[in-house]
Amino acid sequence: MLWAVRMRLSTFGILVMLVHAAAACEFGPVPYSITGIVCRMTKPAALLLNQETARVIQTAFRNAKFPNITGERSMRLLGKVVYRLTNIQVNDLSIERSEVELKENDAIHIAIKNVTAFFKGSLTYGYAGAWFLQLFHSIDFEIESSIDLQISIKLMCQKDQVAADASDCYLTFHKLTLHLQGDKDPGWLKQLFTDFISFTLKLVLKSEVCKEINFLAQMLANFVHDLAANFVRDEDIRLDISLASVPLIKANYLESHHKGFVLYKNHSDVFSDSVFSPSLLTESRMLYFWLSEHILNSLASAAFLDKRLGLTIRGEKLQALFEMEDTEAQRKAVQMIFQGTAYNDSVAKVWSLAHPQISVQPEGTVVKSLVGVEIRIFPPGEKPLVALYMEKEITVTVQAAYAEKQLILHPLDSRIEFKVFKCTSDPTGNDPSVRNFLQTMISVVGIPEVISRIEPALTSLMNSKGLHLFEIRNPEIITRKGYIIVQLDFSFPNHLLLDFLEQRL
């Protein structure tokens, strides 16, 4: 029996080595050169997540599939004693405390202290005596144990994503007591079978529990990857978050580097001039995200190709745009453009003529775009008429913030340059009143109106991915030349991992 247990452990070890062999990922010779996204989780965040460790360990014990244990031993006078433990399962479990430590360039060390576990099952035993006497009995048993658990989780690259290897797992038994039930005088039986099976039982429990913990660690790593991949995908536009370099474990933080290439239908982009360096991030907050300017440009290009950069304005919204102030110049411009047609019989369309160019600067994110604007009127009893068409290059600096589960975009320092201007009531273009009015209207009302449409759309998109489930505290969006840093503290939604484990197991 002991040989069989050792064979199981050896087979498990071989499987672990095969996983390591399959986990190797090849990266380029220049560190971080293709890094578009970086995630850094500092020690306080790791400590917060460690509070969920008890749930994972409890799930590991509950879902471990303990094999039947069979053994025999020759006893003087009694002959051969045969026993079999079946239907072993966890009856009760409690954990006193859990501690986590980050070992630089090594692993995440988790110490689970004073795990009190009760196992139950059935014990069948028999004697094959020298006088051909055979007696067999079956009784219920309960095993009371006190265990310390040591787990070292290594982060590695497997299939270009972060994988967790928790095969380095040890159980230390402080107590392992076998309680027999249903026997009139179980004292000598208890001593007999405890001596027989305690060593083997420890091996079996360690093997199965550690194997289950390793399985859950890999499952949770895949869950986090899938959660992140879903967060950065919307319909046909997604980001490639495969690893750009080996994950790092430092004494005060964990860090993973991802490519962040934008993928859209048959289009994909690459770059190899990332400016990321670990020194760009600090360790004072719980969570950091570093985003390359290249990603924003590529996302803008994909949104343009997907025909998302358009806006239609009618009715009261259109009226609010053109009646921002009651002046003679405003009334004259409105009369020339709409030619007496009511706002409800008019429609304005705004769209990007080319994909916007985005650059990140210390003062904010600078968006430069060539935009087309068309105002079409529908005079009663007449054919529709394009009353105004213009193309203009708009450059606007946007500052972003996140508060009360809402994305906030604040436009400032906008510049407008007309490229094409056609107004049916002024075919020569000699009357500057319309152009001057539109210049002011676009700066003061038009750009804020577009931004006000983008804010709730992006907030809704992020919340649909589950961002609203987290309690985010004091988030900061910092722009520097060529990149953005998002840094924050957070509270973890307790039910997230538990719900996931219950759904998958």
Side-chain angles (χ1 to χ4, degrees):
M1 178 206 61
L2 184 57
W3 173 82
V5 173
R6 286 174 175 167
M7 281 296 295
R8 288 170 58 86
L9 294 175
S10 298
T11 303
F12 179 60
I14 292 172
L15 291 174
V16 170
M17 287 190 292
L18 290 176
V19 169
H20 275 292
C25 299
E26 295 184 1
F27 301 110
V30 181
Y32 317 124
S33 62
I34 57 172
T35 296
I37 302 174
V38 177
C39 176
R40 173 177 289 188
M41 179 183 294
T42 61
K43 184 72 175 287
L47 293 173
L48 176 66
L49 292 177
N50 185 57
Q51 296 175 9
E52 296 299 303
T53 301
R55 298 176 184 270
V56 177
I57 298 303
Q58 288 170 342
T59 302
F61 272 84
R62 280 199 310 268
N63 288 278
K65 306 300 181 183
F66 300 106
N68 297 331
I69 299 175
T70 302
E72 61 180 43
R73 185 173 179 180
S74 296
M75 298 288 294
R76 183 179 299 178
L77 300 178
L78 291 176
K80 184 181 293 185
V81 178
V82 180
Y83 63 88
R84 181 179 177 85
L85 278 71
T86 60
N87 194 30
I88 303 174
Q89 54 188 293
V90 176
N91 191 32
D92 193 14
L93 180 73
S94 64
I95 295 174
E96 183 175 298
R97 69 181 188 275
S98 176
E99 301 171 354
V100 64
E101 183 179 5
L102 305 181
K103 292 288 189 180
E104 187 157 346
N105 299 322
D106 182 16
I108 306 166
H109 291 272
I110 300 176
I112 313 294
K113 302 292 186 180
N114 292 337
V115 179
T116 301
F118 291 86
F119 301 88
K120 66 177 182 179
S122 299
L123 168 64
T124 302
Y125 64 95
Y127 317 101
W131 300 281
F132 304 102
L133 176 64
Q134 293 187 348
L135 298 173
F136 292 95
H137 300 273
S138 181
I139 59 175
D140 294 332
F141 71 85
E142 184 179 69
I143 300 168
E144 180 182 359
S145 66
S146 178
I147 307 169
D148 284 350
L149 183 60
Q150 300 285 337
I151 310 168
S152 292
I153 303 175
K154 295 183 181 296
L155 299 182
M156 57 189 183
C157 177
Q158 184 176 355
K159 297 180 180 179
D160 291 329
Q161 71 182 58
V162 176
D165 175 15
S167 58
D168 188 359
C169 167
Y170 295 94
L171 271 65
T172 302
F173 289 84
H174 299 297
K175 179 170 68 173
L176 186 67
T177 305
L178 178 66
H179 299 285
L180 302 179
Q181 301 169 358
D183 196 283
K184 293 181 179 179
D185 185 15
W188 70 274
L189 285 174
K190 176 180 176 182
Q191 181 63 43
L192 175 67
F193 288 111
T194 298
D195 291 342
F196 279 2
I197 69 177
S198 61
F199 177 71
T200 303
L201 186 60
K202 289 177 182 179
L203 287 178
V204 170
L205 295 179
K206 175 188 180 302
S207 170
E208 300 305 321
V209 170
C210 287
K211 183 167 63 176
E212 187 66 23
I213 288 173
N214 191 36
F215 170 73
L216 291 178
Q218 295 178 22
M219 179 187 290
L220 290 173
N222 291 334
F223 167 65
V224 172
H225 176 273
D226 294 343
L227 195 69
N230 179 61
F231 190 84
V232 293
R233 178 171 189 165
D234 183 47
E235 298 180 0
D236 291 328
I237 302 175
R238 62 188 178 93
L239 292 181
D240 177 4
I241 60 170
S242 57
L243 286 175
S245 59
V246 178
L248 294 180
I249 299 179
K250 296 294 185 180
N252 294 319
Y253 64 85
L254 311 171
E255 189 170 278
S256 60
H257 315 100
H258 307 266
K259 295 175 182 177
F261 301 156
V262 175
L263 305 175
Y264 171 72
K265 294 183 177 179
N266 295 326
H267 302 271
S268 62
D269 69 321
V270 295
F271 70 103
S272 58
D273 56 351
S274 175
V275 299
F276 175 74
S277 168
S279 62
L280 297 177
L281 302 179
T282 65
E283 302 170 17
S284 60
R285 307 298 296 275
M286 294 174 66
L287 193 61
Y288 294 82
F289 294 101
W290 182 94
L291 304 173
S292 169
E293 171 186 281
H294 180 87
I295 289 179
L296 302 180
N297 256 316
S298 298
L299 285 173
S301 179
F304 170 75
L305 293 173
D306 204 43
K307 303 185 185 303
R308 298 192 185 194
L309 304 183
L311 180 64
T312 300
I313 305 173
R314 294 184 173 90
E316 293 181 358
K317 286 286 186 180
L318 190 60
Q319 182 177 0
L321 284 175
F322 281 89
E323 295 186 358
M324 61 178 183
E325 57 182 11
D326 187 14
T327 64
E328 182 63 30
Q330 175 259 321
R331 288 190 292 271
K332 179 181 179 182
V334 168
Q335 179 60 36
M336 291 185 66
I337 295 170
F338 292 93
Q339 303 174 33
T341 304
Y343 291 111
N344 287 334
D345 295 323
S346 309
V347 60
K349 293 184 179 180
V350 183
W351 71 98
S352 286
L353 298 168
H355 73 81
Q357 299 294 319
I358 297 178
S359 63
V360 182
Q361 303 295 332
E363 58 270 20
T365 302
V366 181
V367 182
K368 184 177 181 180
S369 181
L370 183 62
V371 176
V373 177
E374 178 186 275
I375 296 179
R376 190 178 292 264
I377 60 176
F378 302 86
E382 301 181 25
K383 293 182 178 180
L385 174 67
V386 177
L388 177 71
Y389 175 81
M390 56 182 173
E391 297 176 4
K392 56 189 185 299
E393 186 176 82
I394 298 178
T395 304
V396 60
T397 301
V398 180
Q399 292 181 341
Y402 187 83
E404 298 181 354
K405 301 185 184 297
Q406 299 288 326
L407 179 67
I408 301 168
L409 302 176
H410 179 61
L412 47 88
D413 189 29
S414 59
R415 299 184 299 278
I416 301 168
E417 180 181 352
F418 288 95
K419 300 293 185 180
V420 176
F421 187 88
K422 298 178 181 178
C423 182
T424 55
S425 60
D426 182 24
T428 63
N430 293 328
D431 191 336
S433 59
V434 174
R435 187 175 304 201
N436 292 339
F437 168 74
L438 291 173
Q439 180 97 11
T440 303
M441 184 203 73
I442 293 168
S443 299
V444 176
V445 183
I447 293 175
E449 171 66 19
V450 172
I451 295 294
S452 70
R453 300 286 186 97
I454 295 175
E455 282 178 342
L458 291 179
T459 298
S460 177
L461 176 61
M462 291 188 296
N463 286 342
S464 72
K465 306 297 184 179
L467 184 64
H468 64 292
L469 298 176
F470 294 81
E471 290 300 325
I472 297 175
R473 300 190 300 273
N474 304 319
E476 294 181 86
I477 301 175
I478 302 170
T479 56
R480 295 290 184 263
K481 186 173 177 57
Y483 61 89
I484 292 176
I485 296 174
V486 181
Q487 56 188 37
L488 55 94
D489 299 320
F490 70 97
S491 296
F492 194 74
N494 292 332
H495 59 84
L496 189 62
L497 285 181
L498 186 61
D499 289 350
F500 167 74
L501 291 173
E502 290 179 346
Q503 291 170 6
R504 299 296 177 92
L505 298 173

